[in-house]
Amino acid sequence: MKSVSFAAKFRLYPVNTRELPETIKASDMTSTAAINIAHVGVHYRTQEALRDVNCIVKPGKVTGIFGPNGAGKSTLMKAMLGLVPVSSGTVLYQGKPLMQQLDRVAYVPQRSQIDWTYPATVWDVVMMGRVKKTGWLRSFSAVSRQVAKNALERVGMIEYCDRPIGQLSGGQQQRVFLARALTQQAEIFCFDEPLVGIDQKTQSVIFEVFRELATDKKIVLVVNHDLGESIAHFDDLILLNRELIATGSRQQVLTEENLNLAYGGKVMYFSDAA
Ligand code: ADP
Ligand code: MG
């Protein structure tokens, strides 16, 4: 644990986004290539989980949604994908509601939301990524099988093809779900807490793939809560605590003030990541 002298280490750009963030130019807000999240609010019965969240998610970047437990990170991702109803706001991609374009999205939910006892092999899980392209009742084409093989090779899991998914380690399971996302050949990749409970090798594979996707001009959006060294792999950040605290480049967002606002002064450590 070490405390941080932010001012000494970083060029600080305070980005308080209760109004429109200074770092987001008007041209960005209407950028058709980006996802535009405008005034999104979500309520669960009586509880307000998100209030008036405004931000954009750009292609070609690895974007992290950060914030403490219960900040609404998963809720924001789900609201974007229509998995929970919004009480206000819109989410547009290329100028149209994202919810109407979900065939362009690959989503990997939080581990806790996946049924690991489901009797599927690694191959079954990865081929599920091809269902949208092929349909359930048609047999998978040679192309689909090749795409799935390439994805499993990419994440170093090809030799586990016939293993039941429930028998793998957490890191291996996460890599299989990453492979499934890759087979979808999506434009937008959404991952909820992919770094929880994984090994070092999986972490390197995951960040390599994220970087390749970003280089390929995809949108890569990743929920994470850990402010450790892995934060250096993110280009842009969305810092949440029910409301948007800050958004912009990693350097812009990682200020002491913003982290205090999000984590309530509980942040003791993070490295030279910014
Ligand atoms: P995070 O992913 O940042 O940990 P969540 O988006 O899961 O946070 O949750 C935000 C808040 O909404 C939390 O207080 C959580 O308890 C609440 N919440 C999440 N899902 C539900 C639900 N299905 N029903 C009721 N409350 C929920
Ligand atoms: Mg969550």
Side-chain angles (χ1 to χ4, degrees):
M1 291 280 177
K2 64 182 177 189
S3 61
V4 184
S5 166
F6 289 83
K9 278 185 184 156
F10 314 124
R11 286 176 65 200
L12 300 183
Y13 302 85
V15 186
N16 191 325
T17 51
R18 303 207 186 278
E19 293 160 35
L20 258 194
E22 289 165 37
T23 48
I24 294 180
K25 296 188 217 80
S27 58
D28 286 337
M29 289 304 287
T30 54
S31 164
T32 51
I35 296 175
N36 291 274
I37 296 167
H39 302 296
V40 164
V42 174
H43 287 79
Y44 292 110
R45 298 218 176 95
T46 52
Q47 195 195 344
E48 188 180 36
L50 287 178
R51 177 187 295 169
D52 196 34
V53 172
N54 296 283
C55 56
I56 64 167
V57 189
K58 296 181 203 155
K61 306 277 185 195
V62 179
T63 302
I65 303 178
F66 279 74
N69 259 339
K73 303 180 296 294
S74 297
T75 298
L76 179 60
M77 190 165 267
K78 288 180 189 168
M80 291 171 62
L81 304 178
L83 298 171
V84 296
V86 296
S87 43
S88 67
T90 54
V91 180
L92 302 182
Y93 174 56
Q94 300 191 343
K96 283 182 265 163
L98 178 58
M99 251 185 275
Q100 294 169 13
Q101 310 174 68
L102 294 180
D103 53 339
R104 303 165 96 168
V105 178
Y107 168 57
V108 180
Q110 247 172 299
R111 281 179 58 76
S112 56
Q113 301 207 348
I114 295 171
D115 175 9
W116 298 106
T117 63
Y118 189 81
T121 64
V122 165
W123 183 253
D124 295 334
V125 169
V126 173
M127 287 310 275
M128 281 174 212
R130 297 299 297 173
V131 167
K132 271 186 201 154
K133 295 262 188 298
T134 314
W136 272 117
L137 297 176
R138 292 208 254 126
S139 58
F140 292 110
S141 66
V143 172
S144 280
R145 288 197 299 274
Q146 191 58 50
V147 168
K149 263 178 139 172
N150 292 350
L152 278 170
E153 265 160 16
R154 177 66 197 85
V155 302
M157 289 299 294
I158 190 75
E159 65 270 38
Y160 292 85
C161 264
D162 299 326
R163 287 278 196 94
I165 187 82
Q167 287 181 10
L168 304 178
S169 73
Q172 291 169 330
Q173 289 171 336
Q174 198 64 55
R175 276 188 272 155
V176 171
F177 273 80
L178 178 58
R180 185 183 72 157
L182 292 175
T183 66
Q184 288 179 245
Q185 298 176 314
E187 290 163 45
I188 299 168
F189 291 82
C190 296
F191 300 91
D192 197 345
E193 303 271 12
L195 306 173
V196 168
I198 63 169
D199 50 290
Q200 197 56 48
K201 164 156 171 82
T202 300
Q203 176 160 323
S204 340
V205 169
I206 285 178
F207 281 121
E208 273 168 31
V209 172
F210 288 174
R211 184 52 56 199
E212 285 167 13
L213 290 170
T215 304
D216 210 15
K217 295 283 174 282
K218 309 291 187 190
I219 287 180
V220 185
L221 185 60
V222 184
V223 170
N224 194 18
H225 68 270
D226 174 24
L227 286 171
E229 288 170 12
S230 67
I231 206 168
H233 294 280
F234 293 87
D235 305 308
D236 287 350
L237 299 179
I238 295 167
L239 188 60
L240 277 186
N241 195 353
R242 193 172 58 161
E243 293 177 79
L244 185 66
I245 305 296
T247 188
S249 74
R250 183 178 79 240
Q251 292 87 342
Q252 290 165 332
V253 170
L254 288 182
T255 67
E256 190 168 16
E257 187 193 357
N258 287 335
L259 289 170
N260 279 336
L261 281 169
Y263 290 86
K266 287 183 209 126
V267 181
M268 298 296 290
Y269 166 83
F270 80 94
S271 68
D272 291 337

